[in-house]
Amino acid sequence: MTAMAHEPLTQEEVLLEGFLALETPEGFRAELIEGEIVVTPPPDGDHEKYISRIVRQVIKRSKTDMDFSGNKGLTVKSAVAWPMDHVIPDATFAPVDADLFGGASSWMPCEGVVMVLEVTSTKPKADREAKRRCYARGGIPFYLLADRDTSQVTLFSEPEDGDYRQHCTRPFGKSLALPEPFAFDLDTADFL
């Protein structure tokens, strides 16, 4: 019997394999963001309230009918020598006509996603910075961030060169215009 020589795994391959084999406790979620494994505990009720309020408005008020997926795994090309990023937004939106979520695997590419939503929780810096860059690298047109620490909602747009070129921030209580394909003003009055 002849033994076959195998190329040693790179550090990036070892990290990705370790991440994909990770088993988290029920309710926790694990993400691979810019070369770091991030494990997040189950969210509190207020976190889920913000998601619910936003999702309800997007589904009811968008000019284009939208599908929604909560906690959908997305893969994103990394910026440097890290393995491909594996991120899980609080909410992912795509046009119903695209049928993007039907038959999708646990980790799917970002193509066709029009907006992702994050509500800050235990690691707000990741939502504000690293995940923002991931979503921009994925070419997702809009990233909506509800920042509970600063009591603001921000819409990032125009992804280019690994970040978003534009953003519009409003304090909770003020409305935020969501452009096409949504074309409505997001009401944040009940975030206060």
Side-chain angles (χ1 to χ4, degrees):
M1 181 182 290
T2 306
M4 302 255 325
H6 292 284
E7 290 292 318
L9 295 175
T10 66
Q11 186 175 2
E12 293 79 23
E13 291 169 329
V14 169
L15 178 61
L16 181 58
E17 282 189 20
F19 167 74
L20 293 173
L22 189 65
E23 292 185 28
T24 57
E26 188 173 339
F28 283 70
R29 71 178 179 195
E31 300 172 283
L32 181 57
I33 304 171
E34 296 185 343
E36 180 182 349
I37 295 174
V38 178
V39 178
T40 308
D44 62 32
D46 286 338
H47 181 271
E48 298 303 283
K49 171 187 164 183
Y50 288 98
I51 294 169
S52 175
R53 298 299 192 270
I54 292 169
V55 168
R56 185 178 316 124
Q57 289 184 62
V58 170
I59 298 299
K60 286 183 175 181
R61 301 178 65 199
S62 286
K63 181 178 179 183
T64 301
D65 287 339
M66 288 290 159
D67 267 341
F68 149 77
S69 180
N71 298 307
K72 180 70 192 111
L74 300 175
T75 56
V76 180
K77 185 171 40 174
S78 66
V80 291
W82 304 309
M84 185 168 276
D85 290 312
H86 288 66
V87 291
I88 305 174
D90 290 325
T92 303
F93 298 96
V96 168
D97 291 347
D99 193 22
L100 199 62
F101 306 122
S105 65
S106 298
W107 296 101
M108 67 178 231
C110 297
E111 287 81 19
V113 171
V114 293
M115 184 170 74
V116 290
L117 164 68
E118 293 287 355
V119 176
T120 57
S121 55
T122 57
K123 297 189 184 294
K125 186 175 181 186
D127 293 329
R128 293 182 193 123
E129 297 174 19
K131 290 185 92 171
R132 183 193 75 229
R133 292 188 299 268
C134 286
Y135 299 141
R137 281 195 309 276
I140 298 172
F142 301 104
Y143 170 38
L144 184 62
L145 175 65
D147 194 321
R148 297 189 297 166
D149 295 335
T150 63
S151 299
Q152 299 179 113
V153 62
T154 301
L155 181 67
F156 296 93
S157 60
E158 298 183 29
E160 186 178 299
D161 297 327
D163 210 344
Y164 287 96
R165 292 184 34 192
Q166 299 291 322
H167 72 276
C168 181
T169 302
R170 296 286 181 264
F172 287 172
K174 301 288 184 185
S175 63
L176 174 69
L178 298 182
E180 295 277 348
F182 305 98
F184 74 93
D185 290 345
L186 180 71
D187 181 6
T188 67
D190 61 353
F191 290 10
L192 296 172

